[in-house]
Amino acid sequence: MSGAGGRGCGSPVPQRAPWSLVAATAAFCLVSATSVWTAGAEPMSREEKQKLGNQVLEMFDHAYGNYMEHAYPADELMPLTCRGRVRGQEPSRGDVDDALGKFSLTLIDSLDTLVVLNKTKEFEDAVRKVLRDVNLDNDVVVSVFETNIRVLGGLLGGHSLAIMLKEKGEYMQWYNDELLQMAKQLGYKLLPAFNTTSGLPYPRINLKFGIRKPEARTGTETDTCTACAGTLILEFAALSRFTGATIFEEYARKALDFLWEKRQRSSNLVGVTINIHTGDWVRKDSGVGAGIDSYYEYLLKAYVLLGDDSFLERFNTHYDAIMRYISQPPLLLDVHIHKPMLNARTWMDALLAFFPGLQVLKGDIRPAIETHEMLYQVIKKHNFLPEAFTTDFRVHWAQHPLRPEFAESTYFLYKATGDPYYLEVGKTLIENLNKYARVPCGFAAMKDVRTGSHEDRMDSFFLAEMFKYLYLLFADKEDIIFDIEDYIFTTEAHLLPLWLSTTNQSISKKNITSEYTELDDSNFDWTCPNTQILFPNDPLYAQSIREPLKNVVDKSCPRGIIRVEESFRSGAKPPLRARDFMATNPEHLEILKKMGVSLIHLKDGRVQLVQHAIQAASSIDAEDGLRFMQEMIELSSQQQKEQQLPPRAVQIVSHPFFGRVVLTAGPAQFGLDLSKHKETRGFVASSKPYNGCSELTNPEAVMGKIALIQRGQCMFAEKARNIQNAGAIGGIVIDDNEGSSSDTAPLFQMAGDGKDTDDIKIPMLFLFSKEGSIILDAIREYEEVEVLLSDKAKDRAAILKDPEMENEEQSSPENDSQNQSAEQVSSSSQEVDLVDQESSEESSLNSHPESLSPADTDNVASISPSEQTSDPTENHETTNLNGECTDLDNQLQEQSETEEDSNPNVSWGKKVQPIDSILADWNEDIEAFEMMEKDEL
């Protein structure tokens, strides 16, 4: 998700002014018109800004160079194993892989980034590679949404800057619209997806065979997300304006028109997913995050690029509803489109971090500052923004795939305010990326922000967006070879020229299929925001907004807001709280009946609750019933989670790694608890027998070391006892299922043997095959491999404080420079099955916003008798009846597997790239690393 570069704005734009005169300035002049420092922080010197800009350039070179060397022409780089990710050759990651089409995705997505970063020679070489190597006619099913924003957008952005460079006369003189022709070819390949009665596109298409052919393997889907269907207009309209082929803009407009017509008329909100054939809302919750986000963005930007007032009318109508229902400063919480005063969930996803940037472009600065500051406080607590976090700012989903949305909003807030505070925010982002995500072959996504473990993943949007926004944040106008304000950013941060607004205008600007007579134009902005109103005479304006939020993550209790009760009950409490419910209490059963909730006793002893709002005594009782069901789901889920253990970390600390490689490990339900005791550090040694199922024949090899054991043939506890008896100080069990990985499998939790395991005193951790292979390969290259077993990755500064480690690292000349680098470096009728919900929350959000929580049908909750309690000490809500914050254990999003180990298969993990090859790459970076000044960690 991205914003738009603003154009200069002199006098206010007249109402419905001709776009040929104003050249798309009205909604975006704020960005260039309000460089007003609010004195919230000390000004950053030109030298420091240049230094940080150079760091961004070096970081981009590290990511892009490793992609080109180790992954190209694959779609993406796998930075932990230093190889390319090819669709079909790696374990499937579900919807995340729909972005991969065997078309060198990262290269295409990075084209215009190269120009923004003044790498024009590299841009010219990259364009030649795209024209020579990329094939768009592959037999692969891809996401229409992802292919549009990343590939079509990347080709159009590359074309836009190629013709700009050609016009300047130094580079690209040979260029003859080749990228545009590729974009047109791809556009025609995507058009069959729109062959539906509604005009909404299918979510996926086969690049070679299209839709609904037997060989296409797609075309049976019935649902798509709102953002998937509503984030096409910029790229498709630009393609039409560039080529004169109007069909692309027509199809994208029709999809937007249909979504607008299907909005919930009383709330003016849209749902998350919609049936592409009937137009019925499948998921009726609404927010500004995953599944909807860029739909709102593209309405505002379509107004800028196309000069059509109807898009601004639609955006303003939606925005009014967002601020009325979803915005609960500083939070942005999903609600139900039919009952917008009722929150649909109690957590937020990371994709909503784009919204402050969009609010800046809208001209609504105060809520943008508030939400951005709240997000920054979450980042300062966890180093990165978790994929989802609760309203009391605890981790809900712990992954972080290096998303750029927060950096985007930081850039636009700085452009709008000129406040150097936002430069300091950007500096923090750079430091965290270098400190926690940087690995020898690029930057690795965070598997868990709590432990610091990595995922073998570097998405193309990291190069397309993150480095672009960070560089622009610190760059002055003279640092960029073209005027960035002459372009609009797409949701993938690709650049489209604003002069397209007056080119090939064969499409009627006004949508004749929609009626707007019911809308109140008095609330619409048709002029540039007045900077004197946005920023009063008080120079500390922005700081005064941020200040109350400085401690919001640690001290606030936002979930004390109970909006429905305020609106419908004037503060009255619900008649029955989930934590108080007793299935044997007749009074409770009568209250449930009044709320439309019925109780069913299942054969396995569980109790199932089903709500039908139509059976409730009144609308207020129905809403109380819905809230009760949501509380019951949260309570049951929390009780399940409390039986789980969090993930652990295995950190390689010996030469040449020095803590840079962190592996996600599964815990054991026995042995030393690493969350309560000091971490265990030692060299590793393989046990003999390797399965550890009998007395070890090499006790001298594992004495005082951490033993490596293979899964299978006996219980985990038996393995632990055998290596403990041999003198091992810890154990790592490596999965014998070749190719298994923490990237694709849920967290594994080792169970005991059903007996008393108090005799096991050493820590035991579990690694999947892929992660285990990294350690095994390190042993093959370096006989002495030292690791750290802990509940959370240890700071490299602390690791290097070990005198022995300091001496070892200093003794290696190749590490002198590397040290410098690293140290810089739910609706009225809704169904929710508790088990399914738990598993649905296992997966990360991805930039394809379709895969979130289950669809809404009837409200159903199943609980076991042991979960029924009236003990007030078991209140797992974060808000008690008095609205006071309660102290909860950290919430964990992982769905653990607990099983006995009886697999007889014995095999070594799949071989990955040798360590010496990885280390060779480091030597090439030494000169660049020496340019970076050593900072304290």
Side-chain angles (χ1 to χ4, degrees):
M1 153 62 215
S2 303
R7 289 178 58 95
C9 184
S11 59
V13 179
Q15 182 168 338
R16 294 175 173 79
W19 277 85
S20 59
L21 299 178
V22 301
T25 63
F28 291 82
C29 60
L30 171 65
V31 172
S32 60
T34 58
S35 292
V36 180
W37 174 42
T38 59
E42 289 298 319
M44 183 176 286
S45 67
R46 166 73 174 162
E47 291 72 22
E48 186 172 6
K49 288 177 64 177
Q50 286 182 329
K51 174 186 170 184
L52 291 168
N54 289 335
Q55 279 197 28
V56 175
L57 292 175
E58 186 279 330
M59 292 165 67
F60 174 83
D61 289 341
H62 181 66
Y64 180 76
N66 275 289
Y67 164 75
M68 294 304 297
E69 180 175 355
H70 298 293
Y72 181 79
D75 283 317
E76 290 180 344
L77 169 68
M78 300 172 68
L80 296 183
T81 51
C82 299
R83 56 197 174 97
R85 184 181 296 279
V86 179
R87 187 93 172 260
Q89 295 183 13
E90 301 294 334
S92 174
R93 300 175 298 169
D95 290 347
V96 179
D97 284 339
D98 285 346
L100 311 181
K102 300 182 179 179
F103 35 37
S104 302
L105 175 63
T106 298
L107 181 62
I108 293 177
D109 223 359
S110 303
L111 287 177
D112 50 8
T113 303
L114 290 166
V115 182
V116 172
L117 273 55
N118 299 333
K119 298 180 179 295
T120 48
K121 179 64 169 62
E122 291 89 339
F123 171 74
E124 191 160 4
D125 293 341
V127 172
R128 292 185 185 276
K129 285 185 173 67
V130 169
L131 299 180
R132 181 191 68 202
D133 300 336
V134 172
N135 177 24
L136 298 176
D137 196 39
N138 300 312
D139 180 12
V140 58
V141 176
V142 297
S143 161
V144 174
F145 168 80
E146 296 288 2
T147 304
N148 172 66
I149 65 171
R150 299 203 205 187
V151 185
L152 183 58
L155 292 172
L156 291 172
H159 170 70
S160 299
L161 298 189
I163 59 178
M164 178 274 297
L165 291 172
K166 182 177 182 180
E167 185 178 341
K168 285 182 175 290
E170 183 176 356
Y171 293 97
M172 304 300 294
Q173 296 305 298
W174 54 270
Y175 183 71
N176 193 29
D177 294 351
E178 289 87 350
L179 291 177
L180 179 60
Q181 296 309 311
M182 288 186 69
K184 188 175 181 180
Q185 176 192 0
L186 180 59
Y188 279 117
K189 285 184 172 293
L190 296 178
L191 284 183
F194 292 83
N195 188 22
T196 61
T197 55
S198 66
L200 299 178
Y202 283 94
R204 299 171 186 83
I205 194 168
N206 187 298
L207 290 175
K208 187 177 184 69
F209 297 109
I211 292 285
R212 302 188 70 173
K213 296 179 181 177
E215 57 269 38
R217 306 185 304 282
T218 190
T220 59
E221 302 95 333
T222 59
D223 306 335
T224 193
C225 70
T226 299
C228 300
T231 310
L232 300 160
I233 187 65
L234 292 188
E235 293 84 0
F236 272 51
L239 184 56
S240 288
R241 301 296 174 99
F242 272 129
T243 64
T246 62
I247 188 171
F248 304 109
E249 185 173 340
E250 290 171 352
Y251 275 51
R253 279 177 173 264
K254 183 179 179 183
L256 270 182
D257 292 345
F258 189 83
L259 289 173
W260 170 252
E261 292 296 329
K262 290 298 179 179
R263 74 191 186 283
Q264 212 291 319
R265 297 302 177 105
S266 62
S267 67
N268 281 319
L269 295 173
V270 292
V272 174
T273 55
I274 189 172
N275 187 295
I276 60 177
H277 302 297
T278 66
D280 295 332
W281 290 111
V282 179
R283 279 189 52 195
K284 302 178 181 69
D285 46 320
S286 183
V288 296
I292 303 180
D293 49 0
S294 49
Y295 163 69
Y296 295 133
E297 175 192 5
Y298 269 37
L299 285 178
L300 182 54
K301 293 180 180 177
Y303 167 59
V304 175
L305 189 63
L306 308 180
D308 188 335
D309 296 345
S310 66
F311 290 125
L312 181 60
E313 294 178 7
R314 298 180 191 185
F315 174 79
N316 279 328
T317 301
H318 285 312
Y319 187 78
D320 178 72
I322 291 169
M323 300 309 292
R324 186 186 306 271
Y325 304 119
I326 295 171
S327 177
Q328 301 174 44
L331 310 181
L332 293 164
L333 294 177
D334 285 17
V335 300
H336 297 274
I337 59 175
H338 296 287
K339 297 179 181 178
M341 298 303 293
L342 183 64
N343 289 336
R345 63 188 188 190
T346 56
W347 50 270
M348 295 166 280
D349 66 67
L351 288 173
L352 61 75
F354 90 98
F355 198 66
L358 189 63
Q359 290 179 305
V360 169
L361 302 178
K362 157 72 175 171
D364 198 0
I365 196 73
R366 184 182 186 92
I369 293 173
E370 291 175 333
T371 298
H372 179 274
E373 182 62 25
M374 176 271 292
L375 295 171
Y376 185 43
Q377 297 302 317
V378 175
I379 289 174
K380 288 203 293 186
K381 181 176 182 178
H382 300 294
N383 299 320
F384 298 98
L385 195 62
E387 277 293 77
F389 54 95
T390 63
T391 52
D392 57 346
F393 307 112
R394 299 177 187 273
V395 173
H396 187 67
W397 296 338
Q399 304 96 323
H400 174 75
L402 308 182
R403 292 200 183 279
E405 286 79 13
F406 181 78
E408 171 193 354
S409 289
T410 302
Y411 165 65
F412 283 110
L413 272 168
Y414 177 67
K415 290 285 286 184
T417 66
D419 190 340
Y421 175 83
Y422 296 108
L423 297 178
E424 295 297 331
V425 173
K427 181 179 179 180
T428 299
L429 298 182
I430 291 174
E431 291 172 346
N432 287 351
L433 285 170
N434 277 323
K435 184 176 180 181
Y436 301 110
R438 185 168 184 140
V439 294
C441 284
F443 291 84
M446 305 307 295
K447 177 71 174 178
D448 192 314
V449 298
R450 297 162 301 187
T451 64
S453 57
H454 293 135
E455 187 175 357
D456 202 1
R457 169 182 180 184
M458 188 177 80
D459 292 83
S460 69
F461 55 70
F462 182 59
L463 285 85
E465 301 184 65
M466 180 69 81
F467 295 114
K468 197 174 293 175
Y469 287 123
L470 287 178
Y471 183 76
L472 290 173
L473 177 64
F474 297 105
D476 290 329
K477 190 171 184 178
E478 56 268 24
D479 296 329
I480 307 171
I481 62 175
F482 63 99
D483 191 349
I484 196 72
E485 294 179 1
D486 286 337
Y487 295 81
I488 185 172
F489 286 114
T490 69
T491 197
E492 190 79 354
H494 294 307
L495 295 165
L496 301 176
L498 289 174
W499 54 257
L500 288 176
S501 62
T502 59
T503 303
N504 291 325
Q505 299 183 61
S506 57
I507 306 293
S508 171
K509 288 186 178 180
K510 192 69 177 178
N511 172 25
I512 60 174
T513 65
S514 300
E515 295 294 334
Y516 298 100
T517 55
E518 77 277 10
L519 304 181
D520 180 6
D521 263 13
S522 64
N523 292 323
F524 296 163
D525 295 328
W526 296 98
T527 62
C528 298
N530 185 324
T531 61
Q532 297 304 313
I533 296 176
L534 285 171
F535 302 99
N537 293 329
D538 181 5
L540 299 177
Y541 175 70
Q543 184 183 13
S544 68
I545 298 175
R546 292 192 300 263
E547 196 61 35
L549 302 172
K550 289 296 185 182
N551 299 314
V552 66
V553 170
D554 297 319
K555 297 183 179 180
S556 178
C557 186
R559 283 183 66 181
I561 302 171
I562 305 177
R563 303 181 61 188
V564 178
E565 294 173 4
E566 293 173 350
S567 301
F568 295 103
R569 291 296 190 105
S570 301
K573 302 298 183 294
L576 180 62
R577 303 302 295 267
R579 63 173 176 268
D580 301 324
F581 171 67
M582 293 289 290
T584 57
N585 188 321
E587 182 181 353
H588 288 181
L589 297 180
E590 187 62 30
I591 295 173
L592 290 187
K593 183 177 180 181
K594 185 178 180 182
M595 295 189 299
V597 179
S598 55
L599 183 145
I600 303 173
H601 291 275
L602 303 178
K603 293 181 179 180
D604 58 7
R606 292 183 302 155
V607 174
Q608 186 176 67
L609 303 176
V610 182
Q611 191 216 15
H612 298 280
I614 195 172
Q615 298 177 4
S618 68
S619 60
I620 295 178
D621 289 314
E623 288 168 4
D624 286 340
L626 181 58
R627 189 186 314 107
F628 173 84
M629 297 294 289
Q630 291 175 321
E631 289 179 357
M632 184 61 73
I633 290 171
E634 290 186 24
L635 180 61
S636 181
S637 298
Q638 181 64 25
Q639 290 172 338
Q640 292 178 26
K641 292 175 182 177
E642 287 180 346
Q643 299 172 10
Q644 303 173 12
L645 295 173
R648 307 302 189 202
V650 176
Q651 191 170 9
I652 307 179
V653 297
S654 57
H655 167 81
F657 302 96
F658 302 116
R660 291 186 179 91
V661 175
V662 182
L663 308 174
T664 299
Q669 295 178 346
F670 53 86
L672 184 72
D673 186 347
L674 291 170
S675 66
K676 299 178 181 178
H677 298 83
K678 186 178 179 181
E679 66 277 352
T680 297
R681 180 170 179 166
F683 290 93
V684 296
S686 295
S687 62
K688 293 182 181 179
Y690 187 39
N691 59 33
C693 291
S694 60
E695 181 179 349
L696 267 58
T697 60
N698 63 335
E700 70 287 346
V702 301
M703 173 74 71
K705 296 183 180 180
I706 296 173
L708 300 180
I709 329 156
Q710 190 175 52
R711 177 184 180 183
Q713 299 187 354
C714 65
M715 308 292 282
F716 289 121
E718 183 179 349
K719 297 175 187 287
R721 291 188 179 98
N722 287 329
I723 64 172
Q724 179 176 274
N725 292 337
I729 61 173
I732 298 176
V733 178
I734 298 177
D735 192 11
D736 62 341
N737 181 15
E738 184 175 353
S740 65
S741 167
S742 65
D743 294 346
T744 55
L747 180 71
F748 189 89
Q749 185 169 301
M750 293 186 289
D753 55 5
K755 305 174 184 177
D756 185 0
T757 55
D758 290 344
D759 60 314
I760 302 176
K761 306 297 184 182
I762 62 174
M764 295 290 294
L765 296 181
F766 177 89
L767 290 178
F768 284 107
S769 170
K770 179 180 174 182
E771 286 76 15
S773 294
I774 294 176
I775 293 182
L776 295 174
D777 283 347
I779 293 176
R780 294 187 185 103
E781 299 293 333
Y782 304 92
E783 293 183 3
E784 298 292 317
V785 175
E786 188 177 16
V787 301
L788 186 73
L789 311 184
S790 62
D791 64 332
K792 185 176 183 179
K794 195 173 182 181
D795 195 305
R796 287 194 65 248
I799 293 174
L800 296 178
K801 284 181 181 178
D802 186 314
E804 184 176 331
M805 292 298 296
E806 284 184 329
N807 294 335
E808 182 178 355
E809 188 165 59
Q810 291 171 5
S811 67
S812 175
E814 71 182 38
N815 287 320
D816 292 344
S817 300
Q818 293 168 8
N819 290 345
Q820 294 182 9
S821 164
E823 294 185 63
Q824 292 258 103
V825 199
S826 341
S827 90
S828 59
S829 180
Q830 171 181 52
E831 178 171 324
V832 183
D833 180 86
L834 295 184
V835 177
D836 289 342
Q837 174 170 344
E838 196 68 21
S839 62
S840 74
E841 293 183 359
E842 158 69 22
S843 63
S844 160
L845 297 178
N846 48 69
S847 59
H848 187 319
E850 289 183 285
S851 54
L852 281 175
S853 57
D856 295 336
T857 50
D858 284 343
N859 235 344
V860 177
S862 298
I863 58 175
S864 64
S866 62
E867 292 169 338
Q868 301 171 29
T869 176
S870 58
D871 185 349
T873 63
E874 296 194 12
N875 173 17
H876 301 286
E877 288 291 308
T878 58
T879 304
N880 62 24
L881 290 177
N882 295 322
E884 299 173 348
C885 294
T886 59
D887 185 16
L888 296 181
D889 292 334
N890 287 335
Q891 297 183 12
L892 305 171
Q893 94 290 2
E894 304 284 2
Q895 176 184 342
S896 298
E897 289 183 38
T898 303
E899 61 180 67
E900 296 178 351
D901 189 358
S902 58
N903 194 328
N905 297 326
V906 177
S907 65
W908 290 84
K910 184 167 62 176
K911 186 75 170 67
V912 297
Q913 183 164 345
I915 297 299
D916 58 351
S917 175
I918 297 176
L919 294 174
D921 303 330
W922 292 10
N923 294 326
E924 300 175 6
D925 291 337
I926 289 178
E927 289 186 13
F929 290 159
E930 289 175 341
M931 297 173 59
M932 301 172 62
E933 183 176 340
K934 186 174 182 180
D935 295 329
E936 286 190 8
L937 288 175

